[in-house]
Amino acid sequence: MLTFKTRRAAGSDAKDLCAVINSAYRGEPSKEGWTSEADLVGGLRIDLAGVSELLGLEKNHFIVAVNDADGLLGSVHVIEEAAGVLYFGLLAVNPKFQTAGIGKRLLAEVEKLAQVQGARKIRIMVLNVRDELISYYERRGFRLSGQEEKFPFEELLKVKGLKLVEMVKDLGPVT
């Protein structure tokens, strides 16, 4: 069994964050796991400048999963969008470790953070054709909200007409 701990990312994690995110979503390494978008979208998922920018923004942070032997195993980006609403994205796990429970644990950390911050809802945007990913979030209590938006980087699409669909999880009233 793989052991790891979670913590908030530091600026010194930027390069490793970029590598894990891109390996989980795009390019040949991503095809080792089940979260790959490589056949749908080209290019990098994020670059080092983008990660560094997110790390420096107020109300933004990454939660990372790490261990001494393998380093940074996975991450999730979280931002407080509005009172009572947390958005998360870039949930990424190194494809070599995608069946070790890291994603599930990172998602639990997002929910824990939401409770600490008094959020009533957490949300994510997912590519509309990623049925297995939508099912993954549904099994964890998320539902499709009916909201969708155009994919913001159309020039990277390998499949035309892809959209982002919103999934939400209501956490109930703050007690």
Side-chain angles (χ1 to χ4, degrees), residues 2-83:
L2 182 69
T3 59
F4 59 92
K5 64 181 180 178
T6 59
R7 63 171 171 79
R8 188 171 180 163
S12 60
D13 293 314
K15 187 176 178 182
D16 291 335
L17 280 166
C18 191
V20 164
I21 293 166
N22 284 311
S23 73
Y25 287 102
R26 308 270 173 86
E28 285 304 310
S30 72
K31 293 179 180 179
E32 291 181 39
W34 69 275
T35 59
S36 179
E37 302 172 343
D39 293 332
L40 303 171
V41 184
L44 295 175
R45 184 69 158 84
I46 196 164
D47 61 16
L48 185 57
V51 169
S52 297
E53 179 182 343
L54 290 175
L55 281 167
L57 292 174
E58 193 175 328
K59 297 186 179 183
N60 277 260
H61 67 273
F62 283 90
I63 301 169
V64 295
V66 296
N67 74 14
D68 291 335
D70 303 295
L72 200 144
L73 304 168
S75 65
V76 62
H77 174 245
V78 185
I79 179 172
E80 183 182 349
E81 288 188 307

Side-chain angles (χ1 to χ4, degrees), residues 7 10 14 33 42 51 80 84 117 139 159 164-165 171:
R7 63 171 171 79
V51 169
E80 183 182 349
Q117 293 188 351
R139 288 190 303 275
V159 175
L164 294 171
V165 293
L171 302 175

